[in-house]
Amino acid sequence: MDGEITTEVSLENEHLGNCMIIGGGNHGLYNVVCIEDYGEKNYTLMKKIFKAEKEHNLVCGGQLAVFEDEICVSIDTVGIVAEYYYQSQDMYEKWR
């Protein structure tokens, strides 16, 4: 994802009603949301170390939006949680 042409990717398990949505890519930052139980539970991946007043302009799903630094993660973090989700069909354990 580059934040220009491809701005959002979804990994879904329709049978379980779960999905992970990864958006962004511009500025090397991403926003990751996990939805469970057909939308009954929604989780946003958050950094432990962040700058409280800092914001980033990310393009997610083709639209520019402002995101707090706390919820903008690196590609390395995205890789860890996306691989875990793909293999286990569940959120990364440390995310809960």
Side-chain angles (χ1 to χ4, degrees):
M1 294 184 344
D2 60 9
E4 291 181 21
I5 296 172
T6 305
T7 62
E8 188 172 275
V9 172
S10 305
L11 304 172
E12 301 180 24
N13 183 326
E14 292 181 21
H15 178 71
L16 295 176
N18 298 342
C19 74
M20 175 179 283
I21 303 168
I22 304 163
N26 53 316
H27 309 295
L29 296 171
Y30 302 83
N31 176 263
V32 183
V33 175
C34 194
I35 300 169
E36 294 184 332
D37 299 328
Y38 300 97
E40 294 295 318
K41 299 176 187 173
N42 298 290
Y43 304 91
T44 301
L45 183 61
M46 301 171 76
K47 296 190 284 193
K48 290 185 180 187
I49 299 172
F50 60 93
K51 295 181 181 176
E53 301 299 319
K54 189 169 185 175
E55 295 178 331
H56 304 278
N57 294 319
L58 298 182
V59 179
C60 297
Q63 299 202 3
L64 180 65
V66 178
F67 293 88
E68 296 86 9
D69 187 52
E70 185 176 26
I71 61 172
C72 295
V73 298
S74 71
I75 190 66
D76 295 332
T77 301
V78 170
I80 292 167
V81 297
E83 180 179 4
Y84 185 89
Y85 181 85
Y86 180 78
Q87 292 176 353
S88 70
Q89 296 296 299
D90 199 4
M91 282 194 312
Y92 188 62
E93 293 172 0
K94 294 180 182 178
W95 189 351
R96 293 188 188 268

